[in-house]
Amino acid sequence: MIDTDLIPSNHPRAKSLAIRHLLTNGFNSGLVVSEGLIAHGRGEAFDYLIGEKTSTFALDAIKAASSLLLLAEKPVISVNGNVAALCPKEIVDLAYETSSSIEVNLFYRNKKREYLIEETLKKNGANVVLGVGQKEFLKIPELTSNRRHVDPEGIFLADVVFVPLEDGDRTQALINMHKKVITVDLNPLSRTAQNATISIIDNIVRSVPELVKTSRQLKQKSPNSLLKILNNFNNKYNIDNSLKIIRGLKCEQ
Ligand code: ATP
Ligand code: MG
């Protein structure tokens, strides 16, 4: 186990090193798979390019995402190993603020990891965690990986699914099932970011706490004002401008 106290607080990359340690600790405890570490590395590269801060475009996407979750009839938050290692408490808080269910969904599914993620979420305050155990899972059409197995009471029935750090194939399959999909993905060019209904181009460790805060504020508003926020949001504009930040180009505000 690596001791995060070893990172000097004045180290220029202290934050991103601390995030790495959450991942490596998750790997050592069995939450995260080795492929998850590599996926994080891809995300880190994009985070470096966007300046390791949440852009105004990401903040707009977060507002729209909160509105969509609050307006949904059956919102579900999908959790994989990296998400459970990086922000378990904030995911539970978001589920509480938006009355969403939480479902474990793994690319590399095995019972041990399912239970480990469930345990992590429960330690952080979750009551019910779907997608775990012996029950009969249903299959998302068109997908061949283990990720096609979904809980019949969760993602299968959901109208809105929040799938942070998701794979492109599954995002497309969920869209094909007429679900609205929200993602957090640092890569604006990934198939997930390109195909989701709302793409938050930001690091999950920054955006999920912001989603919690925003949902807490927006749930005081009327459904009509939430609809207005949603209707004013344009995901293509959001992605295009996030890409401009990465390319060092001037953005339209
Ligand atoms: P896609 O399948 O959508 O085309 P991909 O195959 O490039 O994307 P995956 O491994 O399927 O990538 O998904 C992981 C995604 O999560 C990557 O786009 C990566 O940039 C992003 N990512 C990794 N770590 C983080 C993080 N901490 N915050 C936000 N996004 C992240
Ligand atoms: Mg992929």
Side-chain angles (χ1 to χ4, degrees):
M1 201 68 74
I2 297 160
D3 185 355
T4 48
D5 291 344
L6 291 176
I7 309 168
S9 58
N10 62 350
H11 188 288
R13 312 220 61 75
K15 266 196 200 146
S16 69
L17 290 177
I19 299 170
R20 264 189 203 176
H21 287 316
L22 290 175
L23 258 302
T24 48
N25 286 343
F27 177 74
N28 291 332
S29 70
L31 268 184
V32 173
V33 288
S34 49
E35 290 80 358
L37 298 179
I38 296 170
H40 182 74
R42 188 193 293 257
E44 259 189 7
F46 283 98
D47 207 12
Y48 198 103
L49 293 170
I50 67 169
E52 295 176 338
K53 57 174 195 279
T54 304
S55 70
T56 56
F57 306 104
L59 285 173
D60 287 345
I62 285 169
K63 260 185 144 180
S66 293
S67 303
L68 185 56
L69 285 170
L70 289 166
L71 286 167
E73 271 175 34
K74 185 151 182 36
V76 175
I77 302 175
S78 168
V79 177
N80 62 25
N82 283 34
V83 174
L86 290 172
C87 50
K89 166 89 172 56
E90 293 79 3
I91 287 287
V92 174
D93 290 348
L94 181 64
Y96 173 79
E97 295 300 340
T98 58
S99 305
S100 300
S101 308
I102 301 179
E103 177 166 339
V104 176
N105 208 277
L106 303 174
F107 200 95
Y108 302 95
R109 191 179 267 285
N110 66 50
K111 294 279 166 248
K112 194 168 160 241
R113 284 186 74 225
E114 277 176 18
Y115 285 119
L116 212 53
I117 294 174
E118 178 188 41
E119 188 192 21
T120 305
L121 292 166
K122 287 197 165 169
K123 265 191 204 153
N124 283 280
N127 291 322
V128 178
V129 178
L130 301 172
V132 181
Q134 303 303 331
K135 74 168 105 165
E136 273 299 306
F137 289 135
L138 292 174
K139 290 179 181 139
I140 302 180
E142 303 169 41
L143 275 188
T144 49
S145 80
N146 270 344
R147 269 199 167 184
R148 72 179 168 158
H149 297 289
V150 289
D151 195 305
E153 293 164 48
I155 292 175
F156 194 79
L157 285 184
D159 53 343
V160 175
V161 197
F162 177 35
V163 284
L165 321 191
E166 182 58 283
D167 174 64
D169 286 354
R170 204 172 79 122
T171 303
Q172 191 54 56
L174 292 172
I175 299 268
N176 292 349
M177 288 173 82
H178 307 291
K179 298 181 190 301
K180 299 225 163 88
V181 174
I182 301 166
T183 195
V184 172
D185 193 324
L186 276 158
N187 177 4
L189 294 171
S190 78
R191 290 169 306 153
T192 300
Q194 293 279 327
N195 291 315
T197 317
I198 299 176
S199 312
I200 302 167
I201 310 299
D202 193 24
N203 198 318
I204 191 169
V205 300
R206 295 190 299 270
S207 44
V208 177
E210 194 62 37
L211 274 166
V212 174
K213 197 177 94 188
T214 307
S215 301
R216 200 171 286 143
Q217 288 162 354
L218 289 184
K219 78 180 184 190
Q220 315 296 334
K221 304 243 178 203
S222 68
N224 263 347
S225 28
L226 298 181
L227 257 182
K228 230 183 194 167
I229 294 174
L230 260 186
N231 291 338
N232 283 334
F233 177 77
N234 179 331
N235 206 37
K236 183 171 177 339
Y237 175 86
N238 159 47
I239 292 174
D240 287 351
N241 279 291
S242 302
L243 207 48
K244 281 187 185 167
I245 294 174
I246 289 171
R247 291 184 167 142
L249 299 173
K250 204 166 175 298
C251 300
E252 303 160 37
Q253 285 288 353

